[in-house]
Amino acid sequence: MPVTPQPAILQPIPQQARYLTYTLTPGANPRAALRALCSQVDGDKAVAGLGLSLVTALGRRINELRSFPEFSGQGIDIPSTPSALLLWLRGIDRGEIVNRHRGLDDLLAPAFGLTQVIDAFTYDGRARRDLTGYEDGTENPKGNKAIAAAISRRKDIAGSSFLAIQQWEHDMHRFEAMPRKEQDHTFGRRRSDNEELDNAPESAHVKRTAQENFDPEAFVVRRSMPWAEGARCGLVFTAFGASFDAYEAQLRRMTGEEDGIMDALFRFTRPLTGAYFWCPPLRGGKLDLTAVGL
Ligand code: HEM
C-alpha cells in the first residue's frame, strides 16, 4: 500500500482548529498509546507531529528532525519550547473539536500529558487574514510546487513533512496606533487590495522572507491561523517543509542576523513558543509510524 502525505498539509486552513501539545511522562513507554493514536489520525481532521524527544525515546533517528533553535535579535528573543507530540485538530464546529480532544487525551494517557491548548480559527473566510487584517498565505507555492516544498522525497520517510510552529502574540493596540502607511510598510503589502508595495522598506516582512531571494530558494507551505484567548490574540505560525532549512533561513533573516535589519513585524508581535515536529505519512488512511519502528 503506498504512503501519502497527511492531506491537511496541502489543503487550505479549516474554519476552526485546536493545537495540542503533549510531553512524554517520565519512564513511560509511548508505543501502545501511539499505536492507538494511529487509527485516530487521518491527516485531515487530525494532523500529528512527533518531536525529537519522542523519536529519541523510540530509539530512532529522523535525520532532518532537530530541536527548534533559539535566536536573539536587537531586543527580541525567539524561544525554543520543544514538545514530544503535537496534534492539530481541524474542523468546522468548535464543540465537535472540544469533544474530540477529550477522547484523544484519554487515549494518550498516562504515557502522554497535555501541556498546551491553543484554539485557532479563520478570519474573513476565503481571504484568510491575520487579525491585523492582512491576507496571509498569498505567496504559498501551489500544486506540485507545494508538494516539492512541503513533502519529503527521501525514500525511508517518503510522504512525510517537517512542521515548524510558533505561537505569536500581537500587541493590537500598538499595531492599530500606527498610521495605515506604516502598517502597510510593516508587511510590505497594501491591506486594501493585498498588492505588494515596491517602495516598502527593507524591514518589510515580505522583503525579509521573499522565498525566491534565498540561495537556495526557501519555499515553505504556510497554514497559519489566528488564535485568541480572553483579551490576548495573535497568530499560530504553522509552516510545513521538506526539511526545516527554508524556514530557518527565513527566520534568521527576520532577526536581522545577516544584515542588521530586523523584520518590522517585531514592532507589534513576538513569539511565545517555537517547536519542530516530524509529520509521518499515512498508509491506508492511517498514520504510518514504520520509520520509527512501530
Ligand atoms: C505574527 C507572525 C506573522 C504574521 C502576522 C505574518 C503574516 C504574513 C503576511 C500577511 C504575509 C503576506 C502574504 C503572504 O504571502 O502570505 C506573509 C508572507 C510571508 N511570511 Fe509571514 N507572518 C508571520 C510570521 C512569519 C514567520 C515566522 C515566517 C518564517 C520564518 C514567515 C514567512 C513568510 C513567508 C515565506 C512569506 C511569503 C514571502 C514571499 O515569498 O513573498 N512569516 N506573512
Side-chain angles (χ1 to χ4, degrees):
M1 213 179 286
V3 289
T4 52
Q6 298 190 53
I9 299 168
L10 300 167
Q11 284 166 11
I13 53 170
Q15 270 168 256
Q16 299 283 339
R18 189 167 258 210
Y19 292 83
L20 306 170
T21 45
Y22 297 87
T23 49
L24 190 54
T25 307
N29 184 341
R31 287 182 177 77
L34 285 175
R35 275 198 199 97
L37 183 69
C38 282
S39 56
Q40 301 295 314
V41 172
D42 63 357
D44 175 16
K45 287 176 78 184
V47 171
L50 278 62
L52 179 62
S53 62
L54 178 53
V55 171
T56 306
L58 293 165
R60 296 295 170 121
R61 207 178 121 78
I62 303 285
N63 275 340
E64 292 85 344
L65 184 60
R66 51 185 184 249
S67 270
F68 189 93
E70 279 176 5
F71 287 100
S72 296
Q74 303 150 29
I76 55 140
D77 290 304
I78 297 185
S80 167
T81 56
S83 269
L85 179 69
L86 170 104
L87 295 178
W88 182 29
L89 305 190
R90 306 164 78 256
I92 47 171
D93 185 329
R94 191 166 168 195
E96 181 273 325
I97 291 176
V98 167
N99 285 333
R100 188 147 49 93
H101 165 199
R102 210 176 30 258
L104 288 163
D105 276 0
D106 293 348
L107 178 138
L108 289 167
F112 291 91
L114 182 70
T115 46
Q116 199 192 15
V117 178
I118 310 175
D119 277 325
F121 49 88
T122 308
Y123 177 35
D124 193 15
R126 274 182 303 158
R128 298 188 196 100
R129 295 176 196 275
D130 172 63
L131 288 168
T132 52
Y134 288 81
E135 286 184 33
D136 194 9
T138 311
E139 290 294 334
N140 264 339
K142 305 200 171 50
N144 286 339
K145 287 188 178 156
I147 295 172
I151 310 298
S152 176
R153 284 169 299 277
R154 259 224 353 255
K155 216 173 161 197
D156 53 333
I157 54 161
S160 54
S161 184
F162 294 89
L163 167 61
I165 293 207
Q166 286 179 297
Q167 182 183 23
W168 289 70
E169 181 171 7
H170 294 354
D171 182 336
M172 289 300 288
H173 288 113
R174 185 171 293 175
F175 186 77
E176 282 158 3
M178 293 178 190
R180 174 58 64 84
K181 189 171 163 200
E182 190 182 337
Q183 295 180 341
D184 285 351
H185 280 182
T186 297
F187 285 98
R189 283 186 179 265
R190 206 161 39 214
R191 183 161 75 186
S192 55
D193 60 3
N194 197 27
E195 272 305 303
E196 197 163 343
L197 300 171
D198 293 335
N199 63 347
E202 283 307 313
S203 59
H205 180 53
V206 300
K207 287 215 171 171
R208 294 281 92 195
T209 54
Q211 296 161 101
E212 64 284 350
N213 285 357
F214 290 84
D215 187 16
E217 290 185 337
F219 282 92
V220 294
V221 171
R222 287 168 293 129
R223 301 290 183 219
S224 307
M225 297 186 74
W227 66 272
E229 192 186 331
R232 301 172 68 193
C233 68
L235 187 79
V236 189
F237 179 84
T238 307
F240 293 93
S243 78
F244 294 117
D245 294 350
Y247 166 76
E248 234 167 84
Q250 294 167 9
L251 191 59
R252 186 156 293 172
R253 199 167 279 178
M254 285 176 70
T255 64
E257 194 180 286
E258 294 165 357
D259 56 7
I261 302 172
M262 241 168 49
D263 196 304
L265 279 186
F266 289 109
R267 291 180 201 158
F268 80 93
T269 186
R270 68 193 178 101
L272 306 177
T273 68
Y276 281 164
F277 300 95
W278 167 64
C279 296
L282 302 180
R283 194 185 293 267
K286 292 180 182 170
L287 200 65
D288 177 37
L289 293 177
T290 45
V292 286
L294 282 167

